[in-house]
Structures are given as structure tokens and as C-alpha cells.
Amino acid sequence: MTTKFTKEHEWAKLEGDTVTVGITDYAAHQLGDVVFVELPAKGSKLQKDKVFGTIESVKTVSDLYSPVTGEVVAVNDNLENNPALVNEEPMGAGWICKVKMANPSEFDQLLSEADYKKICD
Amino acid sequence: MNKTPLCAVHEKSGARMVDFAGWYMPVQYTSIIEEHNAVRTNSGLFDLFHMGEFWLSGPDAMKNIQKICCQDSEALSDRQIAYTPMCRPDGTIVDDLLIYRWSPEKFLLVVNASNMKKDFDWIKSQLEGNVELVDKSSETGLIAIQGPNAEAILQKLTRQRLKAIKFYWFTSGKVAGIDCIISRTGYTGEDGFELYYPAEHSEKLWNALLEAGKDVGIKPIGLGARDTLRLEARLMLYGNDINDETTPIEANLNWTVKFAKGPFTGSEVMKKQKDQGVTKTLVGFELGKGPAARHGYPIMKDGKKVGEVTSGTMAPTLQKNIGLGYVPPALSAIGSTFDIEIRGKNYPATVIETPFYTRARS
């Protein structure tokens, strides 16, 4: 399983033709305590690089950008009652949604971990 | 950007620093929620060097302070403090500040960092007679220790009997060997103290307080938690809840406006508002689960914009979304409902009692 990244600080983990999407450790740390995640609706269509939701910390509101184009096949309902999961495990239990890709080649265009890390430094 | 004498200490401790009103200040050290809870249940330390300290003195000091501020300083005792708005003739608020009465001829005024120059110029332009205004902000440090354990921690460092200092009173004395004004005040809704001292001793005082509170788990607190703490206690933030276009009557600060003392700047307009009513009034509301209300979000009723949110947050102690905003008086009664428009969607809100949070007093 490969994980890739966007310059907007999302990660995408590939499983078949579906990616799991979340925000990176770096982004979660920068945001601080997450208090609300506006999740996309299951079945909704996401466009690569377009806003698909928002994430709020105590202090700020940030947009979420989709790393790929496709259909939302699952959302992390646990975030409704426990948005702090995004801080605790941004790359694990704090995932946001799963997207079935319309065009799997889009995944290859995302940033490698090494290239993403350069952005954060 | 202006820096506090503790800037390096904050950076070294890993604080995230931001620009606040032209000041390079810590917004959080670890987590806003952790810091918020530390102040509610234990103790927290705030570097507030950015606040402004003006001294007003002279035989006509009392006459002038009575004219420019809404509170009644004649009614204060020496070493007592009052929170007051300072208004223009049209009743709009120049700033909200603390008046420290040393004597009828000597007052310390503590003003907001964001308004320092505006306040100084305004006060200066209003003064009459034999009185002098001096800005000591750059040489005056201010550290606040807040929370239920604040008194016990501070008592370790001073021979002044802290129990004897009542809420909104002050004394002067040494803390960790440093000459301080010890003031039982704060901006958190908790018990606590604010210490004013010569700024060159900042590191010594900060470290002494951290050390004295170490065994109970004192934490340094950033501006992020300062904001959630003050909002739960419904303490005003100038620039958000009150500003150049609002009056104390509209902001429901009537308790600070002492008409009985005789005319003062803005009193005529405020009296009229009090007697005849206002067109907007500041209320506290709660929102259901979901996104938080934020400064500037529209308040809607039946599809029409009727007001604006001035402050809003997820309240860590109350575990719900709260906010303040101006609405027409018809929507101000407890239980009134309206919507907050958040990113194009309406979310129902209900007017509730404020302060949202009140500490249990012994």
C-alpha cells in the first residue's frame, strides 16, 4: 500500500482503485485541537484539488481539498463524536473519507513522502 | 513586530507564536484545550506584556477620570480596581480598561494593546487642569497567574497575605524579590492575580512562578486559551464584542455605567439609550453540534440578516458551541431563537444566560 501527499497537507492511501484520505501529521499539529470535521456525504462526487469539506480547530477553520477525482464510498463517522481523533492519529483512526477514483492515474501525480516533507520544512 | 521580554523563553518552550495586534505572542504552548482546562482546574501563567499601562496623576486626576470613564472612581476606595468602558460623546467605546485607584490624585489605567496609541491620544485630548498622563507600557511587565491553585502558588513567593486581597483590589509588595503590584483580577473567569513589575525582571518572575507551581502542574497559557476562557466568562474582547461603533448600553455593560455620579463623556447618549431602548443588543447564544460560530458570521431570522456574531468558539469547559452577537432587542430574551449562517448554511441558535460559565465561589 502506497501513501502519497498533496501540497494542501492531505494524504491519500491507495487500496485497489480506492484511496483513504486524511490530513497529515504536520497539518494536524499546525491546526491544533480539532473540534469539528464537516464530512462529505457518502455517494458525493469529489473533484481533484477542489474543496470537499472543512476542518475546524478551536482557533481556525480550514478547507479540505480532495487529492483525487471520484466518488465518496465511506466516511469516518467516528469523527462526529470524536473529532480529536484527527489530532491523535491523523494518518490512522483520524482518516476522513474513502474515495473510489474515477481516474486512477491521478494518484501517481501526487507527492511522494520525501517531496511532501520538503514542503513542510 | 513588538516582542515581549519573554519571547525567547516562549520560543524555547516550543510555543507557537503569532502576530497579535502587532505583537509577537504565544498562541499556544501545547494545546488550547489542555491549557484552557489547566486554568479551570489547576493554574496557568500568562505573559501579558503587550497590555498598556498609563499613569494619570495630579490634583485634577479624579475630576478627569470621572469625566472620561463610565465607572465611578469616587466610589472606589484607594487600592480598589474598576473595570470600565471609556467612551466618546456619542457613547461609542474608545476602549475598555481597568482603573487602579492609588489615591484620588493617582490612577493606573490598564488598556488593550491594540488600542494603546488611540487611547493615549484620546485621553490626552480630553484632559483639563492640573493632571499628567504618562505611558509606562514599555517598561512595565504584566504576568497573570490564574486558576483555583493560583493563590497557593503565589503565596509561596510573597509575604503579602494574599487571602486579604479581595477580588478587584490590589496591593504592592515583593514577589520572588521583585517589586510588584499584586492585583486580584483576571480575564479567565477564575480566581487569580495579575502582577505588574519592572519589565527587566520578566524572566526571573516567570521562572519563579513556574517553579513554585511545578509540583501542582502549572502551565504556561497562550492567547488561544485566553480567548476561550474569557468568552466562557462573557468578558468583552475589544475589536470583537465592543468597538468604535458600539456603546456600553448596547453591549449590556450597564453595570459599569454610573449615571448617578453626574454627567461624563457619552452619558447623555447612553442615558437616552437606557431610557428609550437600543436598536441592537449583545446576547449570548448556544449552537447545536456542528461547526462553531465565528466572529463576523451573519445572524439570520426568517431568511433575513438581523445581526452578526462578535465572538464564538467551541467552549472546552461547557463542551458546546457558544457565541456572542448583536441582535435586535426583540430577539434578545432568553430562549429566543435565530440562525447562524456558516458557509452558506443556517444552523439554529438559542439565546442563553450569560456568563456561560461561572466558577463556584467558596
Side-chain angles (χ1 to χ4, degrees), chain B residues 105-120:
Chain B
E105 299 195 351
K106 187 179 171 195
F107 296 91
L108 167 64
L109 309 178
V110 181
V111 305
N112 284 301
S114 54
N115 289 334
M116 241 178 332
K117 189 177 178 326
K118 178 179 82 170
D119 289 351
F120 192 85

Side-chain angles (χ1 to χ4, degrees), chain B residues 45 153 157 175-176 178 203-213:
Chain B
L45 211 54
I153 294 167
L157 299 174
V175 176
I178 299 157
E203 266 194 57
K204 189 182 166 196
L205 185 58
W206 181 262
N207 289 332
L209 287 160
L210 274 186
E211 187 60 33

Side-chain angles (χ1 to χ4, degrees), chain B residues 157-293:
Chain B
L157 299 174
T158 182
R159 295 174 66 175
Q160 296 293 324
R161 208 174 135 253
L162 298 178
K163 278 236 177 315
I165 308 173
K166 287 178 284 185
F167 192 53
Y168 268 69
W169 288 70
F170 69 97
T171 190
S172 49
K174 285 201 192 304
V175 176
I178 299 157
D179 286 318
C180 289
I181 297 169
I182 305 170
S183 163
R184 195 159 208 150
T185 46
Y187 192 54
T188 60
E190 292 306 321
D191 185 25
F193 296 85
E194 295 181 300
L195 307 171
Y196 303 84
Y197 60 91
E200 65 266 25
H201 300 304
S202 293
E203 266 194 57
K204 189 182 166 196
L205 185 58
W206 181 262
N207 289 332
L209 287 160
L210 274 186
E211 187 60 33
K214 202 169 147 188
D215 54 347
V216 297
I218 195 172
K219 272 179 171 292
I221 313 294
L223 293 179
R226 183 166 162 83
D227 191 46
T228 54
L229 288 159
R230 70 90 195 166
L231 184 52
E232 284 186 344
R234 199 197 186 273
L235 297 166
M236 299 288 98
L237 174 60
Y238 194 95
N240 277 36
D241 312 308
I242 51 176
N243 61 29
D244 290 314
E245 291 169 0
T246 55
T247 74
I249 306 300
E250 292 165 343
N252 270 308
L253 294 172
N254 298 39
W255 64 276
T256 65
V257 183
K258 308 293 190 191
F259 293 115
K261 75 174 175 175
F264 54 95
T265 309
S267 61
E268 221 170 288
V269 173
M270 284 184 263
K271 189 81 183 38
K272 209 169 145 195
Q273 285 189 332
K274 196 185 159 223
D275 294 343
Q276 299 176 11
V278 289
T279 56
K280 60 176 179 185
T281 184
L282 191 65
V283 295
F285 59 84
E286 71 173 43
L287 272 177
K289 268 185 90 147

Side-chain angles (χ1 to χ4, degrees), chain B residues 341-357:
Chain B
E341 189 188 302
I342 304 176
R343 297 182 285 278
K345 270 190 259 177
N346 282 345
Y347 293 84
T350 307
V351 177
I352 60 171
E353 294 275 2
T354 54
F356 303 103
Y357 166 86

Side-chain angles (χ1 to χ4, degrees), chain B residues 10-80:
Chain B
H10 301 320
E11 283 182 327
K12 213 174 128 197
S13 69
R16 181 168 319 144
M17 308 293 285
V18 295
D19 175 8
F20 175 78
W23 288 85
Y24 186 62
M25 298 292 288
V27 65
Q28 69 174 65
Y29 294 82
T30 54
S31 134
I32 292 176
I33 293 176
E34 260 176 52
E35 291 165 31
H36 179 108
N37 291 338
V39 173
R40 287 273 179 263
T41 61
N42 185 340
S43 55
L45 211 54
F46 300 74
D47 173 17
L48 305 173
F49 179 77
H50 62 304
M51 300 291 285
E53 292 87 9
F54 303 161
W55 290 87
L56 188 73
S57 54
D60 293 325
M62 179 63 85
K63 199 175 82 189
N64 280 282
I65 202 113
Q66 289 293 72
K67 186 185 81 172
I68 61 177
C69 294
C70 299
Q71 277 276 15
D72 186 359
S73 295
E74 290 270 16
L76 297 176
S77 300
D78 291 349
R79 307 214 162 206
Q80 198 176 2

